[in-house]
């Protein structure tokens, strides 16, 4: 785990990681392996996400998990046999690496989402563990590389304005149907003050190309909205975006463009792009990999 590189807002102490999704876009690898455990070079996606929260000052990590996701719990637990073996072999650097995944001041809490009822339902599953505090949500397959953690950027904004705030990025007009899309007016802070948000609109249904990209700071009022939506739609998916739209009727919600590069690691292309870029910067293999990329013949 990287050292904390920014001072936390003590207002946000908990991060929710919804990880119960099936990951069907990555089959066959996700048949028995959680998509959150897919690596970018040598570190699983979920670890990058947890590191981002930790570096933002958060110490309580809440995983909304499901069947077949047990390896995520193991990853953030002590690996007793591995540690003994590494110690016996005198491999102290590797031992430190294994131990650093779960620093002693970090708490991991797991709650099961029994049915795949959408992101809103996953967040609602965390309600008993959050209570009445504002909290963060991180979607691990939106992988972020930035100077300051993207979550810390949102937290700094929340600290100032105390309204829910979502990370957004521009996407091609042909891809709005993959995202929650926001509309609004410029706020003095540089953020957008939302007037409307819609989950995965059809292409052409909105002129906005400003998409929510997997980082949220939410006020706890979202839970009442989610619970009402859940009561209305006993069977269908519960979208977080729909609850945000309802919050908007009574409270401001901001959307913030952030400094940093986002990779869509929910898609194979994004995963490959992230892998190449992280590999090029990797201390063990970066230089050799860059040289190999330059000299490699076109395999086709
Ligand atoms: C989810 C959200 C969507 C958001 C997206 C970001 O969709 O429902 O609003 O824009 O994450 O990645 P999913 O990608 O899980 O379908």
């Amino acid at each position: 785990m990287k050292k904390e590189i920014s001072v936390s807002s003590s207002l946000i102490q908990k991060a929710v990681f919804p990880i119960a999704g099936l990951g069907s876009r990555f089959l066959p690898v996700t048949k028995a392996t959680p998509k959150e455990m897919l690596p970018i070079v040598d570190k699983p996606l979920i670890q990058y996400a947890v590191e981002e929260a930790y570096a933002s000052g958060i110490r309580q990590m809440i995983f909304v998990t499901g069947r077949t996701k047990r390896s995520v719990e193991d990853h953030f637990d002590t690996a007793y046999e591995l540690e003994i073996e590494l110690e016996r072999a005198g491999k102290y650097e590797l031992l430190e690496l294994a131990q650093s995944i779960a620093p002693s001041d970090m708490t991991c809490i797991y709650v099961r989402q029994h049915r795949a009822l959408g992101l809103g339902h996953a967040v609602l599953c965390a309600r008993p563990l959050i209570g009445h505090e504002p909290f963060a949500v991180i979607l691990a397959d939106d992988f972020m590389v930035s100077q300051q953690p993207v979550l810390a950027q949102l937290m700094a904004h929340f600290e100032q304005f105390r309204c829910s705030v979502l990370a957004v990025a521009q996407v091609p007009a042909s891809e709005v149907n993959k995202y929650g899309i926001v509309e609004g007016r410029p706020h003095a802070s540089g953020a957008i003050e939302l007037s409307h948000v819609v989950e995965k609109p059809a292409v052409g249904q909105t002129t906005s190309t400003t998409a929510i990209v997997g980082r949220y700071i939410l006020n706890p009022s979202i839970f009442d909205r989610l619970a009402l939506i859940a009561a209305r739609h006993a069977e269908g998916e519960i979208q977080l975006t729909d609850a945000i739209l309802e919050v908007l009727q009574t409270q401001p919600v901001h959307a913030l463009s952030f400094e940093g590069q986002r990779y869509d690691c929910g898609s194979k292309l994004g995963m490959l792009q992230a892998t190449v870029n992280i590999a090029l910067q990797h201390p063990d293999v970066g230089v050799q990999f860059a040289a190999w990329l330059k000299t490699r013949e076109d395999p086709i």
Side-chain angles (χ1 to χ4, degrees):
M1 191 70 57
K2 271 189 259 168
K3 290 261 178 308
E4 186 171 336
I5 55 173
S6 63
V7 177
S8 88
S9 150
S10 57
L11 293 171
I12 310 293
Q13 301 196 344
K14 296 172 181 167
V16 175
F17 301 85
I19 60 166
L22 294 176
S24 44
R25 270 189 271 173
F26 282 96
L27 279 169
V29 68
T30 47
K31 187 175 174 218
T33 302
K35 69 170 175 175
E36 295 77 14
M37 289 302 290
L38 298 183
I40 298 176
V41 186
D42 52 6
K43 196 188 285 185
L45 276 174
I46 189 66
Q47 189 179 334
Y48 286 102
V50 167
E51 285 184 354
E52 183 183 328
Y54 189 91
S56 304
I58 291 177
R59 295 292 176 270
Q60 294 180 59
M61 312 299 175
I62 299 172
F63 299 83
V64 182
T65 182
R67 290 183 296 280
T68 78
K69 303 282 175 162
R70 217 162 280 162
S71 57
V72 173
E73 294 179 39
D74 291 342
H75 189 72
F76 292 102
D77 199 355
T78 307
Y80 186 72
E81 294 86 349
L82 174 69
E83 291 183 18
I84 296 281
E85 286 306 321
L86 291 174
E87 189 151 27
R88 196 175 290 158
K91 296 182 176 170
Y92 297 113
E93 255 181 54
L94 288 178
L95 177 64
E96 204 179 310
L97 182 71
Q99 288 173 335
S100 71
I101 295 169
S104 55
D105 62 346
M106 183 172 101
T107 308
C108 295
I109 308 166
Y110 299 88
V111 57
R112 284 267 183 137
Q113 185 183 13
H114 299 287
R115 294 171 63 200
L117 289 177
L119 179 58
H121 181 257
V123 171
L124 191 55
C125 289
R127 183 179 202 169
L129 301 167
I130 304 272
H132 299 288
E133 310 163 27
F135 62 101
V137 177
I138 298 192
L139 307 185
D141 55 13
D142 279 311
F143 171 58
M144 304 289 190
V145 178
S146 57
Q147 289 295 317
Q148 191 192 20
V150 173
L151 197 63
Q153 297 176 45
L154 294 189
M155 284 162 66
H157 189 88
F158 180 85
E159 179 100 326
Q160 222 182 330
F161 299 100
R162 307 286 166 108
C163 60
S164 295
V165 52
L166 329 170
V168 288
Q170 293 305 313
V171 296
S174 58
E175 291 185 13
V176 293
N177 56 355
K178 295 184 186 166
Y179 296 95
I181 299 293
V182 307
E183 292 170 20
R185 47 198 162 268
H187 182 262
S189 61
I192 299 169
E193 183 163 348
L194 264 62
S195 58
H196 192 61
V197 58
V198 56
E199 181 68 11
K200 303 192 175 86
V203 172
Q205 191 190 320
T206 169
T207 52
S208 171
T209 50
T210 308
I212 305 171
V213 286
R215 301 291 181 278
Y216 309 74
I217 303 291
L218 297 170
N219 271 314
S221 59
I222 196 80
F223 289 127
D224 283 341
R225 308 294 172 168
L226 285 168
L228 284 172
I229 295 172
R232 285 202 300 262
H233 302 73
E235 284 308 312
E237 285 208 350
I238 299 159
Q239 298 300 346
L240 184 56
T241 313
D242 292 341
I244 293 170
L245 179 63
E246 293 202 5
V247 167
L248 260 188
Q249 314 310 318
T250 54
Q251 295 170 13
V253 176
H254 289 180
L256 196 69
S257 302
F258 51 90
E259 168 278 310
Q261 170 75 42
R262 171 232 173 205
Y263 296 90
D264 174 13
C265 288
S267 78
K268 287 174 200 169
L269 182 63
M271 194 75 188
L272 288 168
Q273 290 164 336
T275 301
V276 170
N277 280 351
I278 294 299
L280 286 170
Q281 294 154 28
H282 196 284
D284 295 349
V285 293
V287 173
Q288 272 173 290
F289 184 56
W292 178 77
L293 275 182
K294 278 201 190 104
T295 59
R296 145 184 181 279
E297 285 177 16
D298 189 342
I300 300 168

